[in-house]
Amino acid sequence: MLARIERTVNGDVTTGERVRRMTKDGEERWIDIYAAPLRDRRGRPIGVAGQLVDVTERVQLEAQLLQAQ
C-alpha cells in the first residue's frame, strides 16, 4: 500500500485498479482504487487525492453471469 502511495505522489495516476481485501469479520470485499497526485503551484507534490469504490456486488454479479453462460 505504501508503495502505491509513493508512486502516486511521484506522478502515477491510478484509474480503477481492482484489489481484494478482507474485512475484520473475514468478509471478502473488492475495491477499485482511483488516485492522483496533488501538486502545489510550482508542481511540487503535496499529497494524494484518492477514492476507494466498493465494487463487491458488481464482481459477484459478473461472476454469476459468466457461470450462467
Side-chain angles (χ1 to χ4, degrees):
M1 183 81 147
L2 182 58
R4 182 179 294 119
I5 294 169
E6 289 176 358
R7 287 193 313 265
T8 303
V9 168
N10 290 324
D12 192 27
V13 175
T14 303
T15 55
E17 180 180 336
R18 187 161 291 170
V19 296
R20 183 178 72 113
R21 295 290 183 251
M22 301 299 280
T23 67
K24 291 178 185 179
D25 299 330
E27 185 180 348
E28 179 182 74
R29 305 306 287 177
W30 288 93
I31 308 296
D32 282 356
I33 301 171
Y34 299 87
L38 292 175
R39 300 189 180 279
D40 66 12
R41 292 179 186 203
R42 294 184 177 145
R44 296 177 296 201
I46 59 171
V48 173
Q51 180 177 17
L52 304 176
V53 181
D54 185 341
V55 294
T56 304
E57 282 189 42
R58 180 185 308 166
V59 170
Q60 292 169 344
L61 289 171
E62 288 171 354
Q64 290 173 5
L65 180 60
L66 285 174
Q67 190 176 19
Q69 292 177 352

